[in-house]
Amino acid sequence: MDIIVSGNDLILNSVSDFKLSHTFECGQCFRWNMIQMQNFDEAYIGVALGKVLKIAQKNNSVVLFDTSINDFQNIWSKYLDFSRDYAAIKDVLSKDEILNKAINFGYGIHILNQDIWECIISFIISASNNIPRIKKIINSLCENFGDKLEYEGQVYYSFPKPEKIALLSLEDISVIKSGFRDKYILDAAKKIVSGEIDLFSLKDMDRTSAKKKLTSIRGVGNKVSDCVLLFSLEKYNSFPIDVWIKRSVEKYYFSSQDTPISEIEKFAAEKFGEFGGFAQQYIFFYTRETDK
DNA sequence: CACCAGGCAAGCC
DNA sequence: GGCTTGCATGGT
């Protein structure tokens, strides 16, 4: 991959194993929206890490608009996971017939390195919910309590900090219509602001310890913590099992037989090992886009 | 109207 | 340990 500065924009050429729609639509993030741009195959605008980014792609070229080389190297390269060798991961996983199909379908998936706090709240909101409404609630949380950001004459909102959320009452937060999850959101904010949970130290912990810490937050159980571990703490052997993954794994590997989650976890650990998280994303995207 | 949606906690055994 | 039920809200 080579990087070219073009005015205020940054052009990445010879990008491989990456496609915007695969990465942004595979269910790991909720704040990226597709836009139309001439001369590109795909384009998105999103808010992440307190910044608005417009990004577009044509074939193997990706353009980050109004982005300095510093911001790319310090922020976006890591966020978009550009330094990982996805070809090597795909080689290993493709040996499995099902994964081979899933990878051919979602060949451009990258696992983003998201903000831990945003990830915790987003997946607390995801519980017993559907994706359009998850996006709607998160958007409302940002509009009501985040900071205003302007880009090209449009207004966007950052994801509100835990310090801001911790000061809210249940009544305050009821405007976002998150239902029974409201108290979980407040609990997470309070545990983080009080220092009971130190987000920074989670990164250095092993998977089991980090998971134990995360599940001490109300509303964070097995599945939500696995998502946080995978999408923001670089624990790539996590294999979050939601209803879709459960159904899909049962269909492809257990002759459509109802199987306990504990057994699916065991199966995934043995079958995919250190690449469990990547396998999960390929399967999730494949099954969501084709089974429906 | 019943049922479901990227689950989880609490209560039961 | 495992199993069941209630949970806010909005969409079919």
Side-chain angles (χ1 to χ4, degrees):
Chain A
M1 183 178 86
D2 34 77
I3 307 171
I4 298 168
V5 178
S6 168
N8 292 327
D9 308 328
L10 222 52
I11 304 173
L12 315 177
N13 283 322
S14 310
V15 175
S16 54
D17 304 296
F18 180 74
K19 189 175 172 71
L20 289 174
S21 57
H22 293 178
T23 294
F24 291 145
E25 311 289 352
C26 70
Q28 58 180 327
C29 55
F30 303 98
R31 300 208 67 207
W32 288 93
N33 295 305
M34 187 178 261
I35 57 170
Q36 298 303 318
M37 278 191 83
Q38 290 203 343
N39 304 322
F40 291 98
D41 302 330
E42 299 181 330
Y44 280 80
I45 286 192
V47 183
L49 309 172
K51 292 173 185 292
V52 182
L53 177 64
K54 182 165 80 174
I55 185 168
Q57 180 170 16
K58 187 182 176 70
N59 299 320
N60 292 329
S61 292
V62 175
V63 181
L64 286 76
F65 294 92
D66 302 294
T67 300
S68 68
I69 192 126
N70 263 359
D71 271 3
F72 178 73
Q73 284 167 347
N74 297 333
I75 301 173
W76 300 118
S77 177
K78 177 75 174 173
Y79 177 82
L80 296 165
D81 207 28
F82 272 137
S83 27
R84 189 176 311 281
D85 186 355
Y86 277 84
I89 295 169
K90 287 151 81 171
D91 276 349
V92 174
L93 291 177
S94 299
K95 289 173 185 159
D96 178 77
E97 196 182 319
I98 304 301
L99 257 296
N100 187 42
K101 280 189 200 169
I103 288 168
N104 283 333
F105 186 81
Y107 57 87
I109 291 176
H110 276 200
I111 294 188
L112 302 171
N113 280 290
Q114 301 185 59
D115 175 74
I116 307 167
W117 155 249
E118 177 172 340
C119 210
I120 292 171
I121 298 304
S122 297
F123 284 95
I124 282 175
I125 291 170
S126 78
S128 188
N129 217 337
N130 55 63
I131 289 179
R133 200 165 85 94
I134 296 165
K135 292 179 87 163
K136 202 171 164 187
I137 293 170
I138 292 172
N139 194 49
S140 175
L141 179 70
C142 296
E143 280 183 2
N144 280 284
F145 306 112
D147 295 326
K148 197 177 277 190
L149 305 169
E150 289 193 11
Y151 183 72
E152 295 185 332
Q154 296 266 54
V155 179
Y156 300 85
Y157 293 90
S158 69
F159 197 91
K161 297 282 178 206
E163 290 78 12
K164 181 79 178 270
I165 301 302
L167 296 175
L168 301 178
S169 66
L170 281 175
E171 196 186 340
D172 292 331
I173 207 167
S174 67
V175 296
I176 70 169
K177 305 264 183 209
S178 62
F180 62 86
R181 307 161 192 87
D182 53 2
K183 49 194 175 293
Y184 302 153
I185 295 169
L186 293 187
D187 184 59
K190 283 175 182 165
K191 282 199 166 81
I192 286 158
V193 171
S194 74
E196 189 176 333
I197 290 179
D198 177 22
L199 295 181
F200 200 71
S201 74
L202 285 175
K203 288 230 178 201
D204 302 323
M205 296 168 75
D206 62 87
R207 196 180 107 88
T208 311
S209 314
K211 183 159 187 162
K212 200 168 178 184
K213 262 291 183 196
L214 286 169
T215 50
S216 73
I217 301 169
R218 288 169 49 74
V220 179
N222 191 42
K223 190 269 174 182
V224 170
S225 62
D226 275 342
C227 287
V228 175
L229 289 166
L230 177 58
F231 301 137
S232 66
L233 290 169
E234 304 181 61
K235 308 300 184 195
Y236 295 106
N237 55 345
S238 302
F239 189 87
I241 301 169
D242 56 49
V243 290
W244 290 89
I245 291 293
K246 184 171 184 293
R247 276 199 293 262
S248 188
V249 170
E250 283 166 351
K251 177 180 167 188
Y252 293 125
Y253 300 101
F254 289 87
S255 314
S256 297
Q257 278 199 356
D258 190 36
T259 308
I261 286 174
S262 57
E263 212 171 305
I264 294 179
E265 276 178 342
K266 214 176 98 187
F267 164 81
E270 286 169 5
K271 183 110 184 155
F272 308 123
E274 59 172 330
F275 296 143
F278 301 98
Q280 194 270 7
Q281 285 295 278
Y282 290 123
I283 296 171
F284 184 83
F285 186 63
Y286 178 61
T287 200
R288 287 269 314 184
E289 302 286 323
T290 57
D291 276 19
K292 180 75 202 313

